[in-house]
Amino acid sequence: MAPTMAIATATLVLLVVSLLAPSTLGSRPGPSSHHGHGGHAKHSPPPPPPPAPVAPAPAAAALVRTTCNSTGYYDLCVSALAADPSSTTADVRGLSAIAVSAAASNASASAAALGANVTAQGGAAVDGTVQALLRTCAGKYGEARDALAAAKVSIAQQDYDYAAVHVSAAAEYPQVCKTLFRRQRPGAYPAELATREEALNQLCSVALDIISLLSAS
């Protein structure tokens, strides 16, 4: 009887183990249970690189600002000088030449615009006196352009007194135009001409202020 009972007991134990094994294994957290639910952590994109440091203003740009601070029209001065790429390597004398060139370009554009305006009105029924005045004004802006060209030559020769004389003369020519209108056609001075006169006057003022820095050095 004892062997029989032992065999029966062993058989019962094996049966219990075989019944418990699947549930025990099933309750173990398998590696597959993590894959379906974000087992692999998603990597966030790397942060953007920090912005590059702003390069300090070059010495040329600082010279432009310092020079323009000595003029009566700072913003106009910076704009006129910065428009010329050579301002990045220019000294004060070079900046004065650039300012004179900017004024000369303005005078030349005004002369051309006024000349074209007179030509366009040639066949129209316009006041002959006004047309003659516009033609004279075109000539005056042309003279202003020539005076500024002479000023640039004087700057190249380091003759700053003559350069200032030429620039001052260039600023006066448009005022002659306005005076002629007041005498012959009071109240008929075109707003466009007033705007052109003021623009050239300001550019000449900037050029004179920079030339004065050279005279004082």
Side-chain angles (χ1 to χ4, degrees):
M1 286 295 294
T4 303
M5 288 294 296
I7 292 171
T9 301
T11 302
L12 182 60
V13 170
L14 291 173
L15 179 61
V16 171
V17 170
S18 63
L19 290 174
L20 291 175
S23 60
T24 303
L25 292 175
S27 64
R28 292 179 183 175
S32 61
S33 64
H34 294 283
H35 291 296
H37 300 283
H40 290 292
K42 294 182 179 179
H43 296 289
S44 59
V54 178
L63 180 60
V64 167
R65 292 194 297 271
T66 301
T67 301
C68 289
N69 270 328
S70 300
T71 71
Y73 301 97
Y74 176 84
D75 291 338
L76 175 63
C77 175
V78 171
S79 175
L81 297 182
D84 190 322
S86 65
S87 65
T88 59
T89 57
D91 56 9
V92 176
R93 182 158 69 101
L95 294 179
S96 70
I98 292 171
V100 169
S101 293
S105 295
N106 177 277
S108 181
S110 292
L114 290 172
N117 190 26
V118 171
T119 301
Q121 294 180 355
V126 295
D127 188 328
T129 300
V130 170
Q131 195 170 21
L133 286 171
L134 290 175
R135 188 178 295 108
T136 299
C137 290
K140 291 301 178 183
Y141 278 94
E143 292 177 39
R145 174 198 59 215
D146 295 341
L148 290 164
K152 193 170 180 180
V153 172
S154 295
I155 290 173
Q157 297 172 344
Q158 300 186 34
D159 193 344
Y160 306 127
D161 289 338
Y162 271 110
V165 169
H166 290 309
V167 175
S168 297
E172 292 291 331
Y173 284 120
Q175 296 183 25
V176 172
C177 175
K178 178 170 63 178
T179 299
L180 291 175
F181 260 95
R182 285 178 175 174
R183 288 177 180 175
Q184 300 183 35
R185 282 293 183 272
Y189 189 54
E192 177 191 355
L193 273 182
T195 300
R196 291 183 181 279
E197 177 190 349
E198 180 62 18
L200 180 58
N201 183 68
Q202 291 182 7
L203 286 169
C204 287
S205 174
V206 167
L208 284 171
D209 288 338
I210 299 177
I211 291 172
S212 68
L213 294 177
L214 296 170
S215 300
S217 61

